[in-house]
Structures are given as structure tokens and as C-alpha cells.
Amino acid sequence: MAKPQEKVSFGQRLKQIGMVFSFTAKRDKWFVPLTAAAILIPLALTVVAVMAWGWLWLPVGILVTLLSVLIVLNLRSTRAMMSAAEGQPGAAASILENMRGDWRVTPAISSTTQFDMVHLVLSRAGVILLGEGDPGRVRHLLGQEKRRLAKVIGSAPLYDYRVGQGEGEVPLRKLRMTLMRLPRHLSGRDVNLLDKRLKAITARQQLPKGPIPKNLRPPKGAFRQLRGR
């Protein structure tokens, strides 16, 4: 049974917002000017509205000001976080795991010791492979996974992307929008069936290699008894 999420107090929420403000201001030179504009412009319009039509416009002006600040904070903090995550191993999978909607992410289904990796994403758009790392090695990993998955996904669409700043690559900050724009080909039932199939082959791929431990070996004579049936 899943544990209920702990409630965040008002003080903790303010602390979190303060941390986001600090993080964004250090990495985005336009954040402070835009935030100042988001405060001053609505307040100036509020003063004009109050002088013209009365004090009833004051609460409206305050709400509009707060909304403007939150919009600026959301947009610029997301941009700053994307910039900070650029080039970090596993950043693409982390971003997609926090996307809204039915995006089923399996990080690093294939990888190298140099931190090149391929992530598997299943959605209504189809099956998506995301590669991160050295372009040459990632291209090889993607080719391997495409050949492997093509045998089991049937007619479901299969997409592959390399995440990065090079030619033919998708920048991390544009990855979410790129995937959101893909056409929806599968129904919810199709996604569930395909998910079970992909989890089965991914589990087989990740089974440890080597001799079977003694405590997991079948008893002697078991195979002879099965053949004799």
C-alpha cells in the first residue's frame, strides 16, 4: 500500500520558492529584471485602476501581480534548470519522468562505461529511444536497440533521438516539446500491452550472467523426470 504524501507546510513552501529564486537568479541574468517588470507594471496599472474606479481593483491588482511573478519564475527557472542539466548523464530520462501525462520511462536500458546511455520511453506516440553521450557510441547503441525492439513492438511507431547540442541532435531544453508534438498512434490498451512486452524483454536483458548459484539450481534428476513425462 502506497504511503500518503507528507503535507508541506506554508513555511516549507516559502523556503522552496526562495531556493528556486536564488538558483534561477544565479544562472539567468534576465530573471531579476523580468521579475521586477512583472511586479512594477501590474502595480502601476493597479494604482491607475484604483484612482479611476475605486479600491475594489486593489485585490485584483495584487492577484495579477502575484500571477505575473509566478509565470516569470516558472518559465525562467525551468530554463535555468535545463541549462544546468545540459550534458549531465541521465538528464533526459529525469526530465521525462517528471512530464505530465502517460510517459513510461525506463532509464539506461543500454549503456557504456563512458556514461553513454539509451533510455526507453513508451507513450501514446509509440516507442521512443533517447541517446545521451558521445555521438558515435550513442549511434551504435541506438542501432542495437532499434534492431532488438523492432522484433517485438509489431506495427507500433519507433522513434529515436540523440540529445545534445550537435548537428542532428535535440537540445535538452527542446526535448519535452519535441516529444509532445509527436502524433498519437496508440490507444491506452495498446500502450499497456506493449508495456508488458517491453518490460519482459528488458528484464531478460538485465538478468545477471554467469554460473547459476547453488541455491537456485534445480534438484538433480529434475530434467530427466521432465523428459520422461
Side-chain angles (χ1 to χ4, degrees):
M1 187 175 179
K3 295 181 179 180
Q5 294 184 348
E6 295 183 3
K7 292 184 178 180
V8 180
S9 67
F10 181 71
Q12 290 174 320
R13 185 71 67 188
L14 287 179
K15 185 177 180 180
Q16 291 173 353
I17 294 175
M19 292 172 63
V20 174
F21 260 90
S22 176
F23 174 87
T24 308
K26 290 178 181 178
R27 289 164 174 79
D28 185 354
K29 65 179 181 179
W30 289 104
F31 175 65
V32 173
L34 288 173
T35 302
I39 295 172
L40 295 176
I41 293 175
L43 286 181
L45 294 175
T46 301
V47 171
V48 173
V50 168
M51 293 175 63
W53 298 293
W55 289 98
L56 290 176
W57 284 91
L58 181 60
V60 176
I62 293 174
L63 289 176
V64 171
T65 302
L66 290 175
L67 181 60
S68 301
V69 172
L70 289 176
I71 290 174
V72 171
L73 175 62
N74 181 52
L75 294 176
R76 304 307 295 188
S77 64
T78 300
R79 184 183 180 91
M81 289 176 186
M82 292 290 184
S83 298
E86 195 80 51
Q88 298 295 323
S94 178
I95 287 171
L96 294 185
E97 285 176 332
N98 292 300
M99 279 179 63
R100 293 180 179 179
D102 191 8
W103 298 87
R104 308 182 189 189
V105 183
T106 305
I109 61 169
S110 182
S111 60
T112 68
T113 55
Q114 291 86 10
F115 297 104
D116 312 295
M117 57 189 70
V118 172
H119 313 297
L120 174 65
V121 183
L122 178 60
S123 73
R124 295 282 299 276
V127 181
I128 305 165
L129 292 172
L130 299 176
E132 292 185 279
D134 177 79
R137 293 192 295 264
V138 166
R139 196 176 292 112
H140 176 68
L141 292 178
L142 285 171
Q144 285 183 327
E145 292 304 317
K146 285 171 67 176
R147 290 190 294 271
R148 184 174 69 91
L149 293 177
K151 301 175 183 178
V152 295
I153 65 173
S155 60
L158 176 59
Y159 304 91
D160 66 281
Y161 298 95
R162 287 183 290 115
V163 180
Q165 296 291 338
E167 184 178 354
E169 297 179 335
V170 179
L172 190 64
R173 65 180 181 275
K174 296 183 179 180
L175 178 61
R176 189 181 313 187
M177 188 58 64
T178 299
L179 299 189
M180 290 290 290
R181 289 175 177 170
L182 291 174
R184 295 331 187 223
H185 296 283
L186 305 179
S187 65
R189 181 175 179 274
D190 293 333
V191 173
N192 289 332
L193 292 174
L194 195 53
D195 190 23
K196 291 179 181 178
R197 203 181 309 167
L198 292 175
K199 282 180 178 177
I201 65 168
T202 303
R204 285 200 301 269
Q205 184 185 22
Q206 294 176 348
L207 284 175
K209 298 180 180 180
I212 302 174
K214 291 182 179 180
N215 62 330
L216 295 180
R217 294 175 184 173
K220 291 182 178 180
F223 293 115
R224 286 197 298 271
Q225 292 175 10
L226 289 173
R227 284 198 300 267
R229 290 184 179 180

